[in-house]
Structure formats: C-alpha cells, structure tokens
Amino acid sequence: METRSERKSWTVQKEDIHAELAEMMELTPEEKTLLSELEGGAEKQAEALTEDFYSRLLAHENTAEYFEGEDMSERHAMIADWFVDLFSGEYGQEYVAQRLKIGHVHVQIGLPVRYPLSMIDVIMQHGRTVAEQSASPDAAEEAFQKVLSLDIAVFNQAYEDRQLKHLANLVGGERLARRLLTGVGD
Ligand code: HEM
C-alpha cells in the first residue's frame, strides 16, 4: 500500500480535534433532545452501573491494583456522574474537552488503554436499559451509541496525544513521529 508523507487528518490540532470529533458524530437536535429527556432515568440507573463496573475491575488483579487504598464511594460517584453526562444533551467542544481530560487522568496513572476500552460493554448495557425507557427507544438507543462512540474516540485520543507528544520530542517533530507510528520499514 502507498504510504503518503502527509494526511489531512495530521493537521488537525488541539481544540480543532474536539470540534472535529463533536461534528463527526452527526447528532441531530432530535437525538440530543431524546437523550436529555432520559437524564433522570440515567441517574436512577447509575447505581446499578457503578456496581457492575467496579465489581468487574475489582475481580481482576491487574485492574484491582489501581484502586488499592482508594475511597471507593468517591470512585462510584465519579463514574455515576460520567454516565449521567452521556445524557446531558450537549456534546460540543466543551464536552469533548472535558471528556479528554478524564482520558488524560487515565494516561497519567499508567493504565493500559485496553482496560477502559474493555469496560465499554458494561456502559453499553446500562445505556440500553435507559434508552428503553424512551418514547422512541430505537432512536434513543442509536443516539446513545453515537455518544458512546464519541467517548471511545476521545479516550483513544487522550492516549495518542501523549504518545505523539513524547515521540515527537524524541525524534524532533510530529510529522516524523506520525510516519514512524505507521510502522513503515518494520
Ligand atoms: C470506560 C471506562 C472508564 C471511565 C468512563 C472512567 C471514568 C473515570 C472518571 C470520570 C474519573 C475521574 C477523573 C477526574 O479526576 O476528573 C476516573 C478516575 C480514575 N479511574 Fe477511571 N474510568 C474508566 C476506566 C477505568 C479503569 C479500567 C481503571 C483501572 C483499572 C480506572 C481507574 C481510575 C482511577 C484509579 C482514577 C483516579 C485517578 C486519580 O484521581 O488519580 N478507570 N475514571
């Protein structure tokens, strides 16, 4: 396959990344309204979600290690708020920037990206339960899937940001770093 020395996507930087991701989800005003109408339902579902979320993470030695000595009630509140915000109805630049910060927190604690990504099915399952309470359950579920996809993209972006930054510092430029990451010549 041809390897190009440039990609348009490589020029998208900082806040423009937030705007691009927010725009890519193509959430319609109707979908945003459908989700925001479910915010109360999400609050009620949050406790069941946090229980499933942490029982999985605490059941595995490699993930449980991150919570040693932690106040778990504080952790529960954090994930509950994060879940309810999926139904805020506002998914613009500010929302993306705030979610990206949460991703960076996970980079900083040395958490491999496979662990947050392997929790998505738990969030999906509880999001579906909330969407089923909508007057238009199918449309609400579709909208929820878009918002969750946005978060998956953002979590990955947080990790890529750090990798690129450090590699670019080492090799003297982001373009060269990106070319190295394509693995050409491996
Ligand atoms: C989809 C998956 C996940 C979501 C949505 C999520 C969400 C959050 C949120 C909202 C916070 C608070 C961030 C802040 O300070 O503003 C947080 C912190 C934290 N998360 Fe996660 N998390 C996820 C996966 C994981 C996994 C898999 C682990 C460990 C195995 C983990 C460990 C932690 C720890 C230790 C903190 C506290 C970091 C600190 O304050 O030093 N998270 N998470």
Side-chain angles (χ1 to χ4, degrees), residues 15-16 18-20 22 91-98:
E15 284 75 20
D16 291 344
H18 309 169
E20 186 198 49
Y91 312 101
Q93 274 199 44
E94 253 177 57
Y95 173 87
V96 173
Q98 198 239 332

Side-chain angles (χ1 to χ4, degrees), residues 53-54 57 62-64 66-67 70 75 78-79 82 98-99 101-102 105-106 109 111-112 115-120 123 151 155:
F53 191 86
Y54 287 110
L57 290 180
N62 290 354
T63 46
Y66 288 87
F67 302 103
E70 290 271 343
R75 291 279 155 263
M78 278 176 177
I79 196 76
W82 179 92
Q98 198 239 332
R99 306 297 261 196
K101 259 194 213 156
I102 294 170
V105 167
H106 294 85
I109 61 170
L111 180 70
Y115 295 128
L117 295 185
S118 68
M119 297 308 291
I120 296 299
I123 294 150
D151 254 292
F155 237 106

